[in-house]
Amino acid sequence: MFLLSLLFAQATPPSLPEPTPQEILKPQEVRPLSGQLNSVPVFNSNSPEVVLSEGILLSTFDKTKKTNSDAHLNFPFQGRFDIFAHHIAKPPTPEDLRTLYLGIILHNPTKETVTVDILAAASYLSQPDAPFIKLPDQVPNNAGNVYAGPGSRVMNDILRGERQENFPDELVIPPGESRMLVNLPIPVKTLIPPLNGRSTYVRLDSNGEVYAASLAMFAPVDATGEERKPRLAEWEELLATGELVTPRDRAPTPPNNTTGGIIYGRVAGVSQGSLWEATLTDNNRSEKLTIPASGEAFSYGISTLAGGRLGTNQIQTAPMLVRYPDTAYSAHGNYGVQYSLTLPLSNPTEVSKTVAVSLQTPIKQDILTQGLRFLEPPASQVFFRGTVKISYDDEQGQLIDNYFHLVQQRGQQAKPLATLTIPPQETRKVKVDFLYPPDATPPQVLTVETLSE
C-alpha cells in the first residue's frame, strides 16, 4: 500500500476506537486462476517509492558512455510494451520545498526513425488530481468520475482505453535521438504535510527498438529565480552522468529464504506480463462453469503471491526480466496488470438459480484451513481501492456494462458486483475486467455464490 495514503491518514484527527473485529470462517473452495500472464514487458518504476534526491529511478539504456554503468539495465523495447511509474516527492529537509519533476525518456538507438504509438495513457498527482478521499464500499462509476488516490484514477482511465490530453498519439524519434514521454511536476510547496505522489501508466507500441528511463530532477530556475520545467538536454545529462536515487528502499527477502517474514520490496526493472486473460470453466475440456449448490460458493485467487497463495499453490506475480539487485525479485502485487476474466455460468438444475459475483478481500493466508477467513467488521486498513467493470446479459438478453469503484478493507466480504437469475439448464456469461490498482494490497478473490432458495 502506498506510503502516501498512510501519511495522509496519519495527518487526519484520530477517530473513536473501533470495535474489535470477529473472525468469520467461510468453508469454501479456492481455485487457481486458469490462464497466465501475457508476455508484454512492463517498464516498472516504483523504487525508491519516496524520492529525496535527484538521479536515475530506472534505466533500461545500454551502459556505454554512462558514468555509472550499474544504473543501466540494457533492455531495449520493441512492439507492445507498457510503462508504469509511481513515486512520492518528499522534501529532503523541511526547508527544501523545490518541485520535483518526474521525467520518462525514450531513446532510439537505431539508424532508422522510430514511431512509438501511445495507445492509452494517464498520469495523476495525489494533490490536487486524486486525493485519498473517503468513499463508500461500492459506488457506481459508469461515468468514470469516482476515484480515490492517483492509482485509482489512473487505472480507471486505462481500463477505459483513454489517453489523457497532455499525451500525444505518437512520438516520432529520429535515429540516435531521445524524446520525453513524461516531463511532469510533483509539487509539495503548498501542501501540509509537504508530501505528494504521482502515478503514471502508459500503453505503447513501437515499430523499432527504444530504450526507456525514469528520472527525478528538482526544477531548475530561470534568470528571475522562478522554477521552470527541465529541458530535454538537462534530462539527457542527468541520464548520462547521474547515479541511482538514494536513499534506497528496504532490500527484499531472497526467494529461497524460507525462515522469518517476507520483505517483498519495491519494484525497479522490467516485469513480464500486462494482462491476465482467461475463461474460467470446470476443466480444460469444458466450455461451462457450473455454479455451486444453493447456499454454497467457490472463489478464484486474484494477485496471489509468495506467502499469500490462499491454498491454490499458485503465484500470479509477474516475473522480472531485469532488475536492480536491491529491488523486488518479482512484481509483487501486479500493479497495473489487467485481469480480464470470463465466467460462462451454467445452471445444470431444473429450477432457476440466483447467483452473485463478488470481488472480496479475505485475510491473507498461504495455506487454507477449512476455508477463507474474513473480519466483521473489516479491519481499518484499506487493501483495495479501484474500479471494476462487470458485463453480462440481463434477463431480456440486453448487454449490461457496469463499472463500480470499490473500497475494500482487510477481511471484507463485500457486496456483489452483480446478482443474476439463471434459468434451468441455461448458461449466462459474465465478464469481469479491472487493472490491479497500485494502491492495493494482495491477494483478493473473485467469488461465485449461489444464493439460498
Side-chain angles (χ1 to χ4, degrees):
M1 187 177 297
F2 283 152
L3 173 65
L4 188 60
S5 60
L6 174 62
L7 291 176
F8 273 120
Q10 290 174 341
T12 60
S15 56
L16 295 174
E18 297 181 356
T20 302
Q22 302 298 311
E23 190 172 289
I24 297 173
L25 173 66
K26 291 289 186 179
Q28 65 185 63
E29 178 187 7
V30 182
R31 303 175 177 180
L33 199 61
S34 58
Q36 60 186 8
L37 284 166
N38 66 8
S39 60
V40 170
V42 179
F43 178 96
N44 202 318
S45 179
N46 188 215
S47 181
E49 183 187 28
V50 178
V51 180
L52 301 178
S53 65
E54 295 184 322
I56 297 166
L57 296 163
L58 171 61
S59 170
T60 75
F61 279 62
D62 66 7
K63 300 176 185 294
T64 58
K65 298 182 180 179
K66 305 294 192 301
T67 302
N68 298 286
S69 61
D70 290 345
H72 306 277
L73 298 176
N74 191 23
F75 187 97
F77 298 93
Q78 185 168 358
R80 274 283 292 116
F81 70 102
D82 288 1
I83 287 179
F84 167 68
H86 174 84
H87 297 281
I88 295 169
K90 181 182 178 183
T93 65
E95 301 78 22
D96 188 349
L97 299 177
R98 290 176 293 169
T99 298
L100 184 76
Y101 270 79
L102 171 69
I104 300 179
I105 188 170
L106 300 181
H107 176 72
N108 172 11
T110 75
K111 297 181 179 179
E112 304 290 335
T113 296
V114 169
T115 300
V116 182
D117 293 323
I118 301 174
L119 308 177
S123 182
Y124 292 109
L125 292 165
S126 299
Q127 304 288 330
D129 300 338
F132 288 97
I133 59 175
K134 185 173 178 59
L135 289 172
D137 298 350
Q138 182 169 305
V139 181
N141 196 23
N142 286 352
N145 56 2
V146 180
Y147 42 81
S152 164
R153 189 171 185 182
V154 166
M155 299 306 147
N156 176 54
D157 282 11
I158 302 300
L159 178 62
R160 300 162 193 268
E162 296 180 1
R163 185 177 63 247
Q164 201 175 7
E165 59 185 13
N166 57 318
F167 286 89
D169 59 357
E170 65 178 21
L171 286 180
V172 178
I173 311 177
E177 294 190 17
S178 299
R179 293 291 182 268
M180 298 306 299
L181 176 69
V182 171
N183 190 358
L184 295 171
I186 312 178
V188 299
K189 189 173 184 178
T190 62
L191 302 178
I192 301 175
L195 191 76
N196 209 352
R198 179 177 287 280
S199 289
T200 302
Y201 203 94
V202 189
R203 288 177 171 170
L204 305 156
D205 196 348
S206 176
N207 68 358
E209 284 193 357
V210 291
Y211 290 112
S214 57
L215 310 161
M217 184 189 300
F218 290 112
V221 294
D222 61 22
T224 66
E226 294 295 317
E227 292 186 343
R228 63 167 175 81
K229 179 182 292 190
R231 302 185 179 103
L232 174 60
E234 293 168 324
W235 287 118
E236 290 177 320
E237 174 69 15
L238 179 61
L239 179 71
T241 63
E243 300 179 351
L244 289 175
V245 167
T246 57
R248 309 295 290 166
D249 284 331
R250 293 177 70 189
T253 303
N256 56 359
N257 188 330
T258 58
T259 61
I262 299 174
I263 299 171
Y264 292 100
R266 291 278 169 183
V267 179
V270 178
S271 54
Q272 184 175 44
S274 66
L275 171 67
W276 191 301
E277 188 173 23
T279 297
L280 309 180
T281 59
D282 293 333
N283 54 58
N284 293 336
R285 300 176 300 279
S286 176
E287 296 181 353
K288 298 178 180 180
L289 181 60
T290 302
I291 61 175
S294 294
E296 296 185 5
F298 56 74
S299 299
Y300 292 90
I302 299 292
S303 198
T304 53
L305 70 170
R309 295 174 292 176
L310 297 174
T312 64
N313 203 33
Q314 181 183 50
I315 294 176
Q316 296 173 13
T317 303
M320 301 301 296
L321 299 172
V322 291
R323 52 178 282 275
Y324 295 122
D326 63 345
T327 63
Y329 288 90
S330 300
H332 304 290
N334 280 351
Y335 292 166
V337 167
Q338 180 166 349
Y339 284 85
S340 185
L341 307 174
T342 300
L343 295 78
L345 299 176
S346 174
N347 175 10
T349 74
E350 299 300 327
V351 295
S352 293
K353 297 287 185 179
T354 303
V355 177
V357 179
S358 309
L359 188 72
Q360 302 176 301
T361 301
I363 297 172
K364 178 182 173 183
Q365 299 176 89
D366 196 38
I367 299 172
L368 293 190
T369 303
Q370 297 180 304
L372 290 172
R373 285 172 161 77
F374 297 91
L375 295 173
E376 185 57 48
S380 60
Q381 310 100 314
V382 174
F383 270 29
F384 189 94
R385 190 188 271 114
T387 293
V388 176
K389 178 185 178 184
I390 186 162
S391 307
Y392 57 94
D393 289 334
D394 66 12
E395 294 178 28
Q396 287 72 45
Q398 298 296 312
L399 178 64
I400 303 295
D401 284 334
N402 279 329
Y403 293 80
F404 294 98
H405 186 275
L406 306 182
V407 177
Q408 293 190 6
Q409 294 158 240
R410 177 176 175 265
Q412 187 161 351
Q413 296 190 61
K415 302 172 185 176
L417 296 167
T419 302
L420 305 85
T421 299
I422 306 179
Q425 303 293 322
E426 289 197 12
T427 298
R428 298 277 295 280
K429 187 177 290 185
V430 176
K431 189 177 181 187
V432 178
D433 274 284
F434 63 96
L435 279 82
Y436 198 83
D439 188 30
T441 301
Q444 276 71 36
V445 292
L446 182 64
T447 296
V448 178
E449 180 180 8
T450 303
L451 304 182
S452 299
E453 298 172 10

